[in-house]
Amino acid sequence: MQAEKEQKPQEKAPAVDTTTSNQEKQALDFKSLHFGWFVGHALVVLNTLIFAISNLVFHPLGFFYRLAYLGVIASYGIVLWNSYKPLTNKESYFKLMLLDENFQYLIVAVFFLFTRRIAVTLIPFFIYSVFHVLDFVDADLIPQLAPHQTKIQSHIKDVVSKYYDTAMILVAKIEVCGVMTRLVLGLFVFRSSILSVLVYAQFLRMRYYMSEHTREFLTELGTKIDKALTPPTAHPKIPPAVINAYATAKDKLTMGSKPAPATAAKKQL
């Protein structure tokens, strides 16, 4: 899977008797980090759906919004713990963790958990979690609980293969146009804060270097905006003050130095 998808934890195998049967080795461990990772993503999927239905049918149930974010924090936290073991106090590992995209998503999830409820922010996490849940069902649940259901496994693999790239492109668009637009517009009606815009802008800045899909979409979007706001292709009805302000803002934004390349926990999903 591509780097956008959070990797499931691969636990170190404890010392065991070499005579242990293959069936025992492959048994599903409900106390493992791996299963906890799955439960976290399952909570995201379930609670996001309940929250979405409550928005459509009656008053939104904010409890399920918060519970979904707790699932996000749990699953991403497990991956980071398994990858870097922060309590080992190794400075190099800590620096790598700061540049890991899973850490970036974790920080954003914690921020949105404790700030004003914004429904659109859950959508990217929901999409990621759907694929993680499907992966766990295919690779772990079906082989253990219904090994004869090979058709279901094949169907899951087909769905993931067919829709994964499209879903990642959709996530990039939602993160840029959906969430960021909502945060900026919220400033004018006092439903979001300057801090939320700054935090998410930094998140998108890191996503630009981490995600090929985000980088391609931002580049395409920037080209369209340049064409609309930069002479000689600028629309004639756009006031000169807006064109000048855009040129000034663009110059300041492009003066920043490139961040160090982002990393991701190198584990198979």
Side-chain angles (χ1 to χ4, degrees):
M1 290 292 179
Q2 298 181 13
E4 284 87 342
K5 292 189 71 178
E6 165 211 345
Q7 295 82 1
K8 69 183 179 184
Q10 303 260 326
E11 300 173 64
K12 292 182 179 179
V16 294
D17 187 348
T18 55
T19 61
T20 303
S21 67
N22 290 335
Q23 183 177 1
E24 291 176 334
K25 289 181 181 179
Q26 296 175 359
L28 188 61
D29 185 359
F30 294 100
K31 296 182 180 180
S32 67
L33 288 176
H34 180 34
F35 188 75
W37 169 86
F38 161 71
V39 170
H41 284 298
L43 284 173
V44 178
V45 173
L46 177 62
N47 288 286
T48 301
L49 288 174
I50 295 175
F51 176 68
I53 293 172
S54 72
N55 270 279
L56 296 174
V57 178
F58 50 88
H59 186 72
L61 300 175
F63 170 77
F64 293 100
Y65 173 90
R66 308 294 176 187
L67 196 56
Y69 266 118
L70 288 176
V72 172
I73 292 168
S75 56
Y76 281 68
I78 287 173
V79 169
L80 289 170
W81 169 259
N82 188 75
S83 303
Y84 301 103
K85 303 292 190 299
L87 295 182
T88 57
N89 292 323
K90 292 182 179 179
E91 184 179 357
S92 59
Y93 270 46
F94 183 70
K95 289 180 179 179
L96 285 173
M97 185 179 70
L98 292 179
L99 292 174
D100 193 308
E101 61 182 345
N102 294 310
F103 181 78
Q104 299 295 324
Y105 274 109
L106 178 64
I107 292 300
V108 168
V110 171
F111 181 81
F112 285 128
L113 174 65
F114 293 107
T115 54
R116 182 188 290 270
R117 191 173 66 233
I118 302 176
V120 70
T121 63
L122 267 179
I123 298 177
F125 293 107
F126 171 78
I127 293 173
Y128 286 140
S129 291
V130 167
F131 282 97
H132 292 315
V133 168
L134 288 175
D135 177 79
F136 186 89
V137 170
D138 171 42
D140 296 274
L141 282 187
I142 292 179
Q144 292 295 326
L145 304 180
H148 58 286
Q149 296 293 345
T150 55
K151 289 185 178 180
I152 296 179
Q153 286 181 287
S154 298
H155 182 65
I156 291 175
K157 287 183 173 66
D158 290 342
V159 169
V160 172
S161 176
K162 182 178 180 180
Y163 294 107
Y164 176 71
D165 285 336
T166 301
M168 295 304 102
I169 294 172
L170 178 61
V171 165
K173 292 180 178 180
I174 293 173
E175 288 177 344
V176 175
C177 295
V179 179
M180 194 60 178
T181 300
R182 165 61 181 82
L183 292 174
V184 172
L185 293 179
L187 291 174
F188 299 99
V189 292
F190 305 103
R191 296 191 63 83
S192 61
S193 64
I194 289 290
L195 179 61
S196 64
V197 173
L198 294 177
V199 168
Y200 205 75
Q202 174 60 23
F203 169 75
L204 287 182
R205 179 172 176 266
M206 297 301 294
R207 292 302 296 154
Y208 179 85
Y209 294 101
M210 294 175 180
S211 168
E212 179 183 353
H213 296 298
T214 301
R215 185 163 53 253
E216 288 179 353
F217 179 67
L218 283 173
T219 301
E220 179 184 350
L221 186 63
T223 301
K224 292 180 179 179
I225 294 175
D226 278 346
K227 186 176 180 180
L229 296 178
T230 304
T233 58
H235 197 282
K237 292 185 178 181
I238 297 178
V242 174
I243 294 176
N244 293 334
Y246 172 75
T248 301
K250 183 180 177 182
D251 289 340
K252 290 183 178 180
L253 288 174
T254 54
M255 286 175 63
S257 58
K258 246 186 178 182
T263 62
K266 294 182 179 179
K267 292 180 174 60
Q268 180 183 1
L269 178 62

